[in-house]
PDB file of all heavy atoms in Angstrom:
ATOM      1  N   LEU A  13       0.836  -1.191   0.000  1.00  0.00           N
ATOM      2  CA  LEU A  13       0.000   0.000   0.000  1.00  0.00           C
ATOM      3  C   LEU A  13       0.875   1.247   0.000  1.00  0.00           C
ATOM      4  O   LEU A  13       1.757   1.397   0.855  1.00  0.00           O
ATOM      5  CB  LEU A  13      -0.907   0.012   1.236  1.00  0.00           C
ATOM      6  CG  LEU A  13      -1.728  -1.255   1.474  1.00  0.00           C
ATOM      7  CD1 LEU A  13      -2.366  -1.212   2.855  1.00  0.00           C
ATOM      8  CD2 LEU A  13      -2.766  -1.414   0.396  1.00  0.00           C
ATOM      9  N   GLN A  14       0.638   2.134  -0.946  1.00  0.00           N
ATOM     10  CA  GLN A  14       1.371   3.394  -1.011  1.00  0.00           C
ATOM     11  C   GLN A  14       0.724   4.374  -0.042  1.00  0.00           C
ATOM     12  O   GLN A  14      -0.501   4.441   0.065  1.00  0.00           O
ATOM     13  CB  GLN A  14       1.339   3.967  -2.432  1.00  0.00           C
ATOM     14  CG  GLN A  14       1.871   3.026  -3.504  1.00  0.00           C
ATOM     15  CD  GLN A  14       3.305   2.606  -3.253  1.00  0.00           C
ATOM     16  OE1 GLN A  14       4.159   3.423  -2.926  1.00  0.00           O
ATOM     17  NE2 GLN A  14       3.567   1.316  -3.383  1.00  0.00           N
ATOM     18  N   GLY A  15       1.534   5.135   0.673  1.00  0.00           N
ATOM     19  CA  GLY A  15       0.970   6.081   1.618  1.00  0.00           C
ATOM     20  C   GLY A  15       1.966   7.128   2.060  1.00  0.00           C
ATOM     21  O   GLY A  15       3.066   7.236   1.532  1.00  0.00           O
ATOM     22  N   GLU A  16       1.530   7.899   3.061  1.00  0.00           N
ATOM     23  CA  GLU A  16       2.336   8.990   3.594  1.00  0.00           C
ATOM     24  C   GLU A  16       2.388   8.881   5.113  1.00  0.00           C
ATOM     25  O   GLU A  16       1.369   8.662   5.767  1.00  0.00           O
ATOM     26  CB  GLU A  16       1.709  10.329   3.198  1.00  0.00           C
ATOM     27  CG  GLU A  16       2.463  11.532   3.712  1.00  0.00           C
ATOM     28  CD  GLU A  16       1.815  12.833   3.274  1.00  0.00           C
ATOM     29  OE1 GLU A  16       1.197  12.865   2.193  1.00  0.00           O
ATOM     30  OE2 GLU A  16       1.923  13.807   4.020  1.00  0.00           O
ATOM     31  N   VAL A  17       3.571   9.041   5.662  1.00  0.00           N
ATOM     32  CA  VAL A  17       3.745   9.004   7.110  1.00  0.00           C
ATOM     33  C   VAL A  17       3.066  10.231   7.715  1.00  0.00           C
ATOM     34  O   VAL A  17       3.348  11.359   7.311  1.00  0.00           O
ATOM     35  CB  VAL A  17       5.244   8.981   7.499  1.00  0.00           C
ATOM     36  CG1 VAL A  17       5.412   9.055   9.014  1.00  0.00           C
ATOM     37  CG2 VAL A  17       5.933   7.749   6.937  1.00  0.00           C
ATOM     38  N   VAL A  18       2.128   9.980   8.648  1.00  0.00           N
ATOM     39  CA  VAL A  18       1.409  11.103   9.267  1.00  0.00           C
ATOM     40  C   VAL A  18       1.750  11.268  10.746  1.00  0.00           C
ATOM     41  O   VAL A  18       1.484  12.332  11.319  1.00  0.00           O
ATOM     42  CB  VAL A  18      -0.126  10.972   9.089  1.00  0.00           C
ATOM     43  CG1 VAL A  18      -0.507  11.117   7.633  1.00  0.00           C
ATOM     44  CG2 VAL A  18      -0.655   9.676   9.664  1.00  0.00           C
ATOM     45  N   ARG A  19       2.327  10.240  11.372  1.00  0.00           N
ATOM     46  CA  ARG A  19       2.689  10.363  12.787  1.00  0.00           C
ATOM     47  C   ARG A  19       3.775   9.358  13.132  1.00  0.00           C
ATOM     48  O   ARG A  19       3.761   8.235  12.660  1.00  0.00           O
ATOM     49  CB  ARG A  19       1.471  10.097  13.676  1.00  0.00           C
ATOM     50  CG  ARG A  19       1.707  10.380  15.167  1.00  0.00           C
ATOM     51  CD  ARG A  19       0.465  10.127  16.002  1.00  0.00           C
ATOM     52  NE  ARG A  19       0.092   8.718  16.028  1.00  0.00           N
ATOM     53  CZ  ARG A  19       0.598   7.819  16.874  1.00  0.00           C
ATOM     54  NH1 ARG A  19       1.517   8.173  17.745  1.00  0.00           N
ATOM     55  NH2 ARG A  19       0.198   6.565  16.829  1.00  0.00           N
ATOM     56  N   LEU A  20       4.707   9.800  13.945  1.00  0.00           N
ATOM     57  CA  LEU A  20       5.781   8.941  14.445  1.00  0.00           C
ATOM     58  C   LEU A  20       5.807   9.047  15.960  1.00  0.00           C
ATOM     59  O   LEU A  20       5.690  10.144  16.510  1.00  0.00           O
ATOM     60  CB  LEU A  20       7.138   9.380  13.894  1.00  0.00           C
ATOM     61  CG  LEU A  20       7.308   9.308  12.385  1.00  0.00           C
ATOM     62  CD1 LEU A  20       8.549  10.062  11.959  1.00  0.00           C
ATOM     63  CD2 LEU A  20       7.377   7.872  11.928  1.00  0.00           C
ATOM     64  N   LYS A  21       5.931   7.902  16.622  1.00  0.00           N
ATOM     65  CA  LYS A  21       6.048   7.882  18.076  1.00  0.00           C
ATOM     66  C   LYS A  21       7.234   7.002  18.421  1.00  0.00           C
ATOM     67  O   LYS A  21       7.170   5.784  18.284  1.00  0.00           O
ATOM     68  CB  LYS A  21       4.765   7.350  18.704  1.00  0.00           C
ATOM     69  CG  LYS A  21       4.790   7.359  20.213  1.00  0.00           C
ATOM     70  CD  LYS A  21       3.468   6.856  20.777  1.00  0.00           C
ATOM     71  CE  LYS A  21       3.529   6.772  22.290  1.00  0.00           C
ATOM     72  NZ  LYS A  21       2.306   6.170  22.834  1.00  0.00           N
ATOM     73  N   SER A  22       8.312   7.638  18.819  1.00  0.00           N
ATOM     74  CA  SER A  22       9.544   6.928  19.112  1.00  0.00           C
ATOM     75  C   SER A  22       9.596   6.551  20.587  1.00  0.00           C
ATOM     76  O   SER A  22       9.222   7.342  21.456  1.00  0.00           O
ATOM     77  CB  SER A  22      10.737   7.815  18.758  1.00  0.00           C
ATOM     78  OG  SER A  22      11.939   7.137  18.987  1.00  0.00           O
ATOM     79  N   GLY A  23      10.037   5.323  20.861  1.00  0.00           N
ATOM     80  CA  GLY A  23      10.174   4.852  22.230  1.00  0.00           C
ATOM     81  C   GLY A  23      11.602   4.428  22.500  1.00  0.00           C
ATOM     82  O   GLY A  23      12.498   4.665  21.694  1.00  0.00           O
ATOM     83  N   THR A  24      11.808   3.773  23.622  1.00  0.00           N
ATOM     84  CA  THR A  24      13.149   3.316  23.984  1.00  0.00           C
ATOM     85  C   THR A  24      13.631   2.220  23.042  1.00  0.00           C
ATOM     86  O   THR A  24      14.757   2.243  22.562  1.00  0.00           O
ATOM     87  CB  THR A  24      13.164   2.792  25.430  1.00  0.00           C
ATOM     88  OG1 THR A  24      12.658   3.811  26.289  1.00  0.00           O
ATOM     89  CG2 THR A  24      14.562   2.421  25.866  1.00  0.00           C
ATOM     90  N   VAL A  25      12.739   1.261  22.749  1.00  0.00           N
ATOM     91  CA  VAL A  25      13.101   0.124  21.909  1.00  0.00           C
ATOM     92  C   VAL A  25      12.255   0.076  20.640  1.00  0.00           C
ATOM     93  O   VAL A  25      12.762  -0.190  19.559  1.00  0.00           O
ATOM     94  CB  VAL A  25      12.947  -1.208  22.685  1.00  0.00           C
ATOM     95  CG1 VAL A  25      13.230  -2.401  21.799  1.00  0.00           C
ATOM     96  CG2 VAL A  25      13.847  -1.215  23.911  1.00  0.00           C
ATOM     97  N   MET A  26      10.957   0.346  20.761  1.00  0.00           N
ATOM     98  CA  MET A  26      10.027   0.249  19.642  1.00  0.00           C
ATOM     99  C   MET A  26       9.492   1.631  19.262  1.00  0.00           C
ATOM    100  O   MET A  26       9.489   2.551  20.071  1.00  0.00           O
ATOM    101  CB  MET A  26       8.852  -0.669  19.986  1.00  0.00           C
ATOM    102  CG  MET A  26       9.248  -2.105  20.264  1.00  0.00           C
ATOM    103  SD  MET A  26      10.029  -2.931  18.856  1.00  0.00           S
ATOM    104  CE  MET A  26       8.641  -3.075  17.743  1.00  0.00           C
ATOM    105  N   ALA A  27       9.043   1.729  18.014  1.00  0.00           N
ATOM    106  CA  ALA A  27       8.443   2.961  17.507  1.00  0.00           C
ATOM    107  C   ALA A  27       7.155   2.611  16.785  1.00  0.00           C
ATOM    108  O   ALA A  27       6.999   1.507  16.271  1.00  0.00           O
ATOM    109  CB  ALA A  27       9.407   3.665  16.550  1.00  0.00           C
ATOM    110  N   GLU A  28       6.208   3.551  16.755  1.00  0.00           N
ATOM    111  CA  GLU A  28       4.981   3.401  15.985  1.00  0.00           C
ATOM    112  C   GLU A  28       5.049   4.352  14.796  1.00  0.00           C
ATOM    113  O   GLU A  28       5.410   5.512  14.948  1.00  0.00           O
ATOM    114  CB  GLU A  28       3.748   3.751  16.817  1.00  0.00           C
ATOM    115  CG  GLU A  28       3.401   2.721  17.847  1.00  0.00           C
ATOM    116  CD  GLU A  28       2.114   3.071  18.588  1.00  0.00           C
ATOM    117  OE1 GLU A  28       1.488   4.108  18.278  1.00  0.00           O
ATOM    118  OE2 GLU A  28       1.751   2.296  19.467  1.00  0.00           O
ATOM    119  N   VAL A  29       4.695   3.831  13.628  1.00  0.00           N
ATOM    120  CA  VAL A  29       4.661   4.630  12.406  1.00  0.00           C
ATOM    121  C   VAL A  29       3.235   4.572  11.872  1.00  0.00           C
ATOM    122  O   VAL A  29       2.745   3.501  11.529  1.00  0.00           O
ATOM    123  CB  VAL A  29       5.654   4.094  11.347  1.00  0.00           C
ATOM    124  CG1 VAL A  29       5.627   4.958  10.099  1.00  0.00           C
ATOM    125  CG2 VAL A  29       7.064   4.000  11.923  1.00  0.00           C
ATOM    126  N   GLU A  30       2.578   5.713  11.816  1.00  0.00           N
ATOM    127  CA  GLU A  30       1.211   5.782  11.300  1.00  0.00           C
ATOM    128  C   GLU A  30       1.270   6.286   9.863  1.00  0.00           C
ATOM    129  O   GLU A  30       1.864   7.331   9.589  1.00  0.00           O
ATOM    130  CB  GLU A  30       0.372   6.721  12.157  1.00  0.00           C
ATOM    131  CG  GLU A  30      -1.081   6.741  11.784  1.00  0.00           C
ATOM    132  CD  GLU A  30      -1.924   7.562  12.752  1.00  0.00           C
ATOM    133  OE1 GLU A  30      -1.589   7.606  13.951  1.00  0.00           O
ATOM    134  OE2 GLU A  30      -2.910   8.158  12.278  1.00  0.00           O
ATOM    135  N   VAL A  31       0.673   5.505   8.963  1.00  0.00           N
ATOM    136  CA  VAL A  31       0.733   5.814   7.537  1.00  0.00           C
ATOM    137  C   VAL A  31      -0.683   5.950   6.995  1.00  0.00           C
ATOM    138  O   VAL A  31      -1.514   5.061   7.182  1.00  0.00           O
ATOM    139  CB  VAL A  31       1.486   4.711   6.756  1.00  0.00           C
ATOM    140  CG1 VAL A  31       1.549   5.035   5.273  1.00  0.00           C
ATOM    141  CG2 VAL A  31       2.889   4.521   7.323  1.00  0.00           C
ATOM    142  N   LYS A  32      -0.955   7.056   6.330  1.00  0.00           N
ATOM    143  CA  LYS A  32      -2.253   7.263   5.684  1.00  0.00           C
ATOM    144  C   LYS A  32      -2.190   6.632   4.301  1.00  0.00           C
ATOM    145  O   LYS A  32      -1.349   6.985   3.478  1.00  0.00           O
ATOM    146  CB  LYS A  32      -2.562   8.753   5.567  1.00  0.00           C
ATOM    147  CG  LYS A  32      -3.929   9.040   4.983  1.00  0.00           C
ATOM    148  CD  LYS A  32      -4.206  10.552   5.002  1.00  0.00           C
ATOM    149  CE  LYS A  32      -5.605  10.824   4.546  1.00  0.00           C
ATOM    150  NZ  LYS A  32      -5.694  11.163   3.144  1.00  0.00           N
ATOM    151  N   VAL A  33      -3.081   5.660   4.061  1.00  0.00           N
ATOM    152  CA  VAL A  33      -3.187   4.998   2.766  1.00  0.00           C
ATOM    153  C   VAL A  33      -4.579   5.283   2.212  1.00  0.00           C
ATOM    154  O   VAL A  33      -5.433   5.829   2.911  1.00  0.00           O
ATOM    155  CB  VAL A  33      -2.926   3.475   2.872  1.00  0.00           C
ATOM    156  CG1 VAL A  33      -1.500   3.202   3.337  1.00  0.00           C
ATOM    157  CG2 VAL A  33      -3.918   2.799   3.789  1.00  0.00           C
ATOM    158  N   GLN A  34      -4.826   4.914   0.980  1.00  0.00           N
ATOM    159  CA  GLN A  34      -6.104   5.202   0.341  1.00  0.00           C
ATOM    160  C   GLN A  34      -7.286   4.673   1.144  1.00  0.00           C
ATOM    161  O   GLN A  34      -8.300   5.343   1.287  1.00  0.00           O
ATOM    162  CB  GLN A  34      -6.136   4.633  -1.078  1.00  0.00           C
ATOM    163  CG  GLN A  34      -7.402   4.985  -1.825  1.00  0.00           C
ATOM    164  CD  GLN A  34      -7.391   4.447  -3.246  1.00  0.00           C
ATOM    165  OE1 GLN A  34      -6.483   3.745  -3.658  1.00  0.00           O
ATOM    166  NE2 GLN A  34      -8.412   4.778  -4.001  1.00  0.00           N
ATOM    167  N   ALA A  35      -7.160   3.480   1.698  1.00  0.00           N
ATOM    168  CA  ALA A  35      -8.276   2.852   2.414  1.00  0.00           C
ATOM    169  C   ALA A  35      -8.428   3.348   3.848  1.00  0.00           C
ATOM    170  O   ALA A  35      -9.409   3.034   4.501  1.00  0.00           O
ATOM    171  CB  ALA A  35      -8.098   1.338   2.412  1.00  0.00           C
ATOM    172  N   GLY A  36      -7.476   4.080   4.384  1.00  0.00           N
ATOM    173  CA  GLY A  36      -7.544   4.544   5.767  1.00  0.00           C
ATOM    174  C   GLY A  36      -6.167   4.757   6.341  1.00  0.00           C
ATOM    175  O   GLY A  36      -5.316   5.382   5.712  1.00  0.00           O
ATOM    176  N   THR A  37      -5.949   4.192   7.526  1.00  0.00           N
ATOM    177  CA  THR A  37      -4.674   4.374   8.217  1.00  0.00           C
ATOM    178  C   THR A  37      -4.125   3.020   8.651  1.00  0.00           C
ATOM    179  O   THR A  37      -4.872   2.156   9.096  1.00  0.00           O
ATOM    180  CB  THR A  37      -4.869   5.266   9.460  1.00  0.00           C
ATOM    181  OG1 THR A  37      -5.416   6.513   9.052  1.00  0.00           O
ATOM    182  CG2 THR A  37      -3.555   5.533  10.156  1.00  0.00           C
ATOM    183  N   VAL A  38      -2.821   2.856   8.523  1.00  0.00           N
ATOM    184  CA  VAL A  38      -2.130   1.655   8.978  1.00  0.00           C
ATOM    185  C   VAL A  38      -1.099   2.094  10.010  1.00  0.00           C
ATOM    186  O   VAL A  38      -0.380   3.079   9.793  1.00  0.00           O
ATOM    187  CB  VAL A  38      -1.420   0.935   7.809  1.00  0.00           C
ATOM    188  CG1 VAL A  38      -0.606  -0.243   8.304  1.00  0.00           C
ATOM    189  CG2 VAL A  38      -2.411   0.502   6.757  1.00  0.00           C
ATOM    190  N   VAL A  39      -1.044   1.393  11.137  1.00  0.00           N
ATOM    191  CA  VAL A  39      -0.033   1.673  12.152  1.00  0.00           C
ATOM    192  C   VAL A  39       0.897   0.477  12.231  1.00  0.00           C
ATOM    193  O   VAL A  39       0.449  -0.656  12.410  1.00  0.00           O
ATOM    194  CB  VAL A  39      -0.668   1.945  13.536  1.00  0.00           C
ATOM    195  CG1 VAL A  39       0.417   2.203  14.580  1.00  0.00           C
ATOM    196  CG2 VAL A  39      -1.632   3.124  13.460  1.00  0.00           C
ATOM    197  N   ALA A  40       2.183   0.725  12.066  1.00  0.00           N
ATOM    198  CA  ALA A  40       3.180  -0.340  12.121  1.00  0.00           C
ATOM    199  C   ALA A  40       4.068  -0.139  13.341  1.00  0.00           C
ATOM    200  O   ALA A  40       4.455   0.991  13.660  1.00  0.00           O
ATOM    201  CB  ALA A  40       4.038  -0.326  10.858  1.00  0.00           C
ATOM    202  N   ALA A  41       4.379  -1.224  14.027  1.00  0.00           N
ATOM    203  CA  ALA A  41       5.341  -1.208  15.128  1.00  0.00           C
ATOM    204  C   ALA A  41       6.667  -1.718  14.582  1.00  0.00           C
ATOM    205  O   ALA A  41       6.751  -2.835  14.073  1.00  0.00           O
ATOM    206  CB  ALA A  41       4.857  -2.088  16.270  1.00  0.00           C
ATOM    207  N   ILE A  42       7.678  -0.866  14.642  1.00  0.00           N
ATOM    208  CA  ILE A  42       9.011  -1.230  14.174  1.00  0.00           C
ATOM    209  C   ILE A  42      10.008  -0.894  15.282  1.00  0.00           C
ATOM    210  O   ILE A  42       9.669  -0.193  16.230  1.00  0.00           O
ATOM    211  CB  ILE A  42       9.395  -0.501  12.859  1.00  0.00           C
ATOM    212  CG1 ILE A  42       9.490   1.007  13.067  1.00  0.00           C
ATOM    213  CG2 ILE A  42       8.385  -0.827  11.754  1.00  0.00           C
ATOM    214  CD1 ILE A  42      10.013   1.776  11.858  1.00  0.00           C
ATOM    215  N   THR A  43      11.224  -1.389  15.155  1.00  0.00           N
ATOM    216  CA  THR A  43      12.217  -1.042  16.164  1.00  0.00           C
ATOM    217  C   THR A  43      12.592   0.429  16.015  1.00  0.00           C
ATOM    218  O   THR A  43      12.527   1.003  14.920  1.00  0.00           O
ATOM    219  CB  THR A  43      13.489  -1.900  16.035  1.00  0.00           C
ATOM    220  OG1 THR A  43      14.101  -1.649  14.778  1.00  0.00           O
ATOM    221  CG2 THR A  43      13.174  -3.386  16.202  1.00  0.00           C
ATOM    222  N   ASP A  44      12.974   1.017  17.126  1.00  0.00           N
ATOM    223  CA  ASP A  44      13.416   2.402  17.093  1.00  0.00           C
ATOM    224  C   ASP A  44      14.674   2.537  16.226  1.00  0.00           C
ATOM    225  O   ASP A  44      14.857   3.532  15.530  1.00  0.00           O
ATOM    226  CB  ASP A  44      13.671   2.908  18.509  1.00  0.00           C
ATOM    227  CG  ASP A  44      13.654   4.423  18.589  1.00  0.00           C
ATOM    228  OD1 ASP A  44      12.614   5.021  18.252  1.00  0.00           O
ATOM    229  OD2 ASP A  44      14.694   5.010  18.956  1.00  0.00           O
ATOM    230  N   ALA A  45      15.511   1.494  16.227  1.00  0.00           N
ATOM    231  CA  ALA A  45      16.715   1.498  15.394  1.00  0.00           C
ATOM    232  C   ALA A  45      16.349   1.555  13.911  1.00  0.00           C
ATOM    233  O   ALA A  45      16.991   2.263  13.127  1.00  0.00           O
ATOM    234  CB  ALA A  45      17.573   0.266  15.684  1.00  0.00           C
ATOM    235  N   SER A  46      15.283   0.831  13.506  1.00  0.00           N
ATOM    236  CA  SER A  46      14.839   0.865  12.106  1.00  0.00           C
ATOM    237  C   SER A  46      14.296   2.237  11.739  1.00  0.00           C
ATOM    238  O   SER A  46      14.525   2.724  10.630  1.00  0.00           O
ATOM    239  CB  SER A  46      13.769  -0.196  11.860  1.00  0.00           C
ATOM    240  OG  SER A  46      14.324  -1.477  11.948  1.00  0.00           O
ATOM    241  N   LEU A  47      13.574   2.859  12.670  1.00  0.00           N
ATOM    242  CA  LEU A  47      13.058   4.213  12.441  1.00  0.00           C
ATOM    243  C   LEU A  47      14.208   5.164  12.118  1.00  0.00           C
ATOM    244  O   LEU A  47      14.143   5.938  11.152  1.00  0.00           O
ATOM    245  CB  LEU A  47      12.288   4.694  13.676  1.00  0.00           C
ATOM    246  CG  LEU A  47      11.731   6.101  13.640  1.00  0.00           C
ATOM    247  CD1 LEU A  47      10.572   6.211  12.678  1.00  0.00           C
ATOM    248  CD2 LEU A  47      11.320   6.555  15.027  1.00  0.00           C
ATOM    249  N   LYS A  48      15.275   5.059  12.883  1.00  0.00           N
ATOM    250  CA  LYS A  48      16.442   5.929  12.669  1.00  0.00           C
ATOM    251  C   LYS A  48      17.193   5.549  11.394  1.00  0.00           C
ATOM    252  O   LYS A  48      17.610   6.416  10.635  1.00  0.00           O
ATOM    253  CB  LYS A  48      17.360   5.874  13.879  1.00  0.00           C
ATOM    254  CG  LYS A  48      16.733   6.525  15.098  1.00  0.00           C
ATOM    255  CD  LYS A  48      17.572   6.358  16.337  1.00  0.00           C
ATOM    256  CE  LYS A  48      16.858   7.016  17.511  1.00  0.00           C
ATOM    257  NZ  LYS A  48      17.316   6.552  18.785  1.00  0.00           N
ATOM    258  N   ARG A  49      17.353   4.244  11.154  1.00  0.00           N
ATOM    259  CA  ARG A  49      18.090   3.794   9.962  1.00  0.00           C
ATOM    260  C   ARG A  49      17.396   4.225   8.676  1.00  0.00           C
ATOM    261  O   ARG A  49      18.036   4.626   7.706  1.00  0.00           O
ATOM    262  CB  ARG A  49      18.244   2.266   9.995  1.00  0.00           C
ATOM    263  CG  ARG A  49      19.043   1.694   8.832  1.00  0.00           C
ATOM    264  CD  ARG A  49      19.236   0.187   8.959  1.00  0.00           C
ATOM    265  NE  ARG A  49      18.031  -0.557   9.239  1.00  0.00           N
ATOM    266  CZ  ARG A  49      17.123  -0.913   8.315  1.00  0.00           C
ATOM    267  NH1 ARG A  49      17.289  -0.563   7.060  1.00  0.00           N
ATOM    268  NH2 ARG A  49      16.046  -1.601   8.642  1.00  0.00           N
ATOM    269  N   LEU A  50      16.049   4.148   8.675  1.00  0.00           N
ATOM    270  CA  LEU A  50      15.275   4.557   7.499  1.00  0.00           C
ATOM    271  C   LEU A  50      15.113   6.069   7.394  1.00  0.00           C
ATOM    272  O   LEU A  50      14.646   6.574   6.379  1.00  0.00           O
ATOM    273  CB  LEU A  50      13.889   3.900   7.534  1.00  0.00           C
ATOM    274  CG  LEU A  50      13.871   2.389   7.355  1.00  0.00           C
ATOM    275  CD1 LEU A  50      12.485   1.841   7.670  1.00  0.00           C
ATOM    276  CD2 LEU A  50      14.289   2.012   5.939  1.00  0.00           C
ATOM    277  N   LYS A  51      15.502   6.776   8.473  1.00  0.00           N
ATOM    278  CA  LYS A  51      15.378   8.245   8.519  1.00  0.00           C
ATOM    279  C   LYS A  51      13.953   8.688   8.201  1.00  0.00           C
ATOM    280  O   LYS A  51      13.731   9.628   7.438  1.00  0.00           O
ATOM    281  CB  LYS A  51      16.382   8.900   7.582  1.00  0.00           C
ATOM    282  CG  LYS A  51      17.818   8.584   7.931  1.00  0.00           C
ATOM    283  CD  LYS A  51      18.795   9.197   6.964  1.00  0.00           C
ATOM    284  CE  LYS A  51      20.198   8.803   7.377  1.00  0.00           C
ATOM    285  NZ  LYS A  51      21.060   8.546   6.273  1.00  0.00           N
ATOM    286  N   LEU A  52      12.968   7.962   8.792  1.00  0.00           N
ATOM    287  CA  LEU A  52      11.573   8.277   8.535  1.00  0.00           C
ATOM    288  C   LEU A  52      11.196   9.608   9.166  1.00  0.00           C
ATOM    289  O   LEU A  52      11.591   9.904  10.294  1.00  0.00           O
ATOM    290  CB  LEU A  52      10.663   7.182   9.086  1.00  0.00           C
ATOM    291  CG  LEU A  52      10.663   5.863   8.322  1.00  0.00           C
ATOM    292  CD1 LEU A  52       9.817   4.829   9.052  1.00  0.00           C
ATOM    293  CD2 LEU A  52      10.146   6.065   6.914  1.00  0.00           C
ATOM    294  N   MET A  53      10.412  10.375   8.420  1.00  0.00           N
ATOM    295  CA  MET A  53       9.931  11.663   8.894  1.00  0.00           C
ATOM    296  C   MET A  53       8.482  11.826   8.467  1.00  0.00           C
ATOM    297  O   MET A  53       8.052  11.245   7.466  1.00  0.00           O
ATOM    298  CB  MET A  53      10.774  12.804   8.317  1.00  0.00           C
ATOM    299  CG  MET A  53      12.215  12.783   8.776  1.00  0.00           C
ATOM    300  SD  MET A  53      13.274  14.023   7.995  1.00  0.00           S
ATOM    301  CE  MET A  53      12.308  15.489   8.092  1.00  0.00           C
ATOM    302  N   THR A  54       7.722  12.606   9.226  1.00  0.00           N
ATOM    303  CA  THR A  54       6.352  12.913   8.850  1.00  0.00           C
ATOM    304  C   THR A  54       6.357  13.525   7.456  1.00  0.00           C
ATOM    305  O   THR A  54       7.191  14.371   7.147  1.00  0.00           O
ATOM    306  CB  THR A  54       5.729  13.893   9.869  1.00  0.00           C
ATOM    307  OG1 THR A  54       5.787  13.285  11.159  1.00  0.00           O
ATOM    308  CG2 THR A  54       4.294  14.210   9.532  1.00  0.00           C
ATOM    309  N   GLY A  55       5.439  13.075   6.607  1.00  0.00           N
ATOM    310  CA  GLY A  55       5.363  13.567   5.236  1.00  0.00           C
ATOM    311  C   GLY A  55       6.067  12.686   4.221  1.00  0.00           C
ATOM    312  O   GLY A  55       5.863  12.844   3.025  1.00  0.00           O
ATOM    313  N   ASP A  56       6.892  11.758   4.686  1.00  0.00           N
ATOM    314  CA  ASP A  56       7.593  10.851   3.767  1.00  0.00           C
ATOM    315  C   ASP A  56       6.590   9.963   3.031  1.00  0.00           C
ATOM    316  O   ASP A  56       5.623   9.479   3.612  1.00  0.00           O
ATOM    317  CB  ASP A  56       8.570   9.941   4.521  1.00  0.00           C
ATOM    318  CG  ASP A  56       9.870  10.617   4.885  1.00  0.00           C
ATOM    319  OD1 ASP A  56      10.100  11.762   4.451  1.00  0.00           O
ATOM    320  OD2 ASP A  56      10.655   9.993   5.635  1.00  0.00           O
ATOM    321  N   LYS A  57       6.829   9.734   1.757  1.00  0.00           N
ATOM    322  CA  LYS A  57       6.062   8.774   0.967  1.00  0.00           C
ATOM    323  C   LYS A  57       6.711   7.411   1.184  1.00  0.00           C
ATOM    324  O   LYS A  57       7.930   7.262   1.040  1.00  0.00           O
ATOM    325  CB  LYS A  57       6.089   9.133  -0.521  1.00  0.00           C
ATOM    326  CG  LYS A  57       5.581  10.529  -0.830  1.00  0.00           C
ATOM    327  CD  LYS A  57       4.116  10.641  -0.556  1.00  0.00           C
ATOM    328  CE  LYS A  57       3.627  12.024  -0.993  1.00  0.00           C
ATOM    329  NZ  LYS A  57       2.396  12.421  -0.364  1.00  0.00           N
TER     330      LYS A  57
END
């Protein structure tokens, strides 16, 4: 699903990434290290 990052919540170990897609919103739990490695920012496609 193609989408846009609308919210990031970084924690000690895990992070939540909220992505707006055509059908609604998807929230993914990823490691905080992956969040940093991918350099995810609000507005990213």
Side-chain angles (χ1 to χ4, degrees):
L13 308 169
Q14 304 301 315
E16 180 179 330
V17 175
V18 293
R19 187 179 66 85
L20 298 167
K21 183 178 176 185
S22 182
T24 305
V25 176
M26 297 298 291
E28 287 184 1
V29 181
E30 186 173 328
V31 180
K32 183 176 185 264
V33 297
Q34 184 178 4
T37 302
V38 175
V39 179
I42 64 174
T43 63
D44 200 60
S46 292
L47 177 71
K48 291 174 181 160
R49 182 177 49 81
L50 292 169
K51 299 178 181 143
L52 288 175
M53 296 175 46
T54 302
D56 281 353
K57 303 292 185 201

